[in-house]
């Protein structure tokens, strides 16, 4: 189960920015393993990063329509991956007896 959790966190880190990456790194090195609380905190950090990415997309659209289009594609792709990861994580949390991600 730990390997699946580690793979999950690596996937989330690849899709997100500073907040999530920082949180996942600290959870991975804490020595306690990945807990339900760590998972909830990683998703919370991702939500903060998601807002930053949307703001960056809006700024990119002001600078150049082409840059804005590429930025929007990145945000939309990350959102699709997020939905898939969240669904899988909710199943893993249920197996552990934890509440689903909010």
């Amino acid at each position: 189960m730990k390997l699946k959790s580690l793979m999950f966190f690596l996937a989330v880190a690849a899709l997100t920015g500073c907040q999530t990456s920082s949180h996942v790194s600290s959870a991975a090195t804490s020595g306690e393993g990945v807990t339900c609380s760590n998972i909830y905190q990683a998703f919370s950090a991702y939500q903060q990063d998601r807002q930053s990415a949307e703001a960056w997309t809006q700024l990119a659209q002001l600078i150049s329509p082409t840059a804005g289009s590429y930025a929007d594609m990145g945000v939309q792709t990350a959102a699709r991956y997020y939905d898939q990861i969240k669904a899988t994580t909710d199943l893993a949390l249920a197996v552990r007896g934890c509440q689903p991600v909010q």
Side-chain angles (χ1 to χ4, degrees), residues 52-84:
S52 298
E54 289 173 5
W56 180 79
T57 298
Q58 292 172 356
L59 179 61
Q61 287 173 344
L62 292 173
I63 295 169
S64 163
T66 302
S69 176
Y70 284 126
D72 188 52
M73 283 185 343
V75 169
Q76 297 306 318
T77 300
R80 284 193 304 274
Y81 286 131
Y82 171 82
D83 292 339
Q84 293 171 355

Side-chain angles (χ1 to χ4, degrees), residues 7-22:
M7 289 173 51
F8 158 75
F9 278 113
L10 290 175
V12 170
L15 297 174
T16 60
C18 303
Q19 293 291 324
T20 306
S21 296
S22 173

Side-chain angles (χ1 to χ4, degrees), residues 9 22-35 38-39 41:
F9 278 113
S22 173
H23 177 75
V24 170
S25 295
S26 67
T29 59
S30 71
E32 299 175 2
V34 179
T35 64
N38 293 135
I39 293 170
Q41 290 172 356

Side-chain angles (χ1 to χ4, degrees), residues 1-16 20-21 23-24 27-28 34-46 81-93 96 101:
M1 191 66 158
K2 286 185 180 183
L3 179 60
K4 286 183 181 180
S5 295
L6 181 58
M7 289 173 51
F8 158 75
F9 278 113
L10 290 175
V12 170
L15 297 174
T16 60
T20 306
S21 296
H23 177 75
V24 170
V34 179
T35 64
C36 295
S37 177
N38 293 135
I39 293 170
Y40 299 141
Q41 290 172 356
F43 273 88
S44 176
Y46 174 79
Y81 286 131
Y82 171 82
D83 292 339
Q84 293 171 355
I85 290 169
K86 183 178 176 296
T88 302
T89 301
D90 285 343
L91 289 173
L93 288 169
R96 287 182 162 192
V101 174

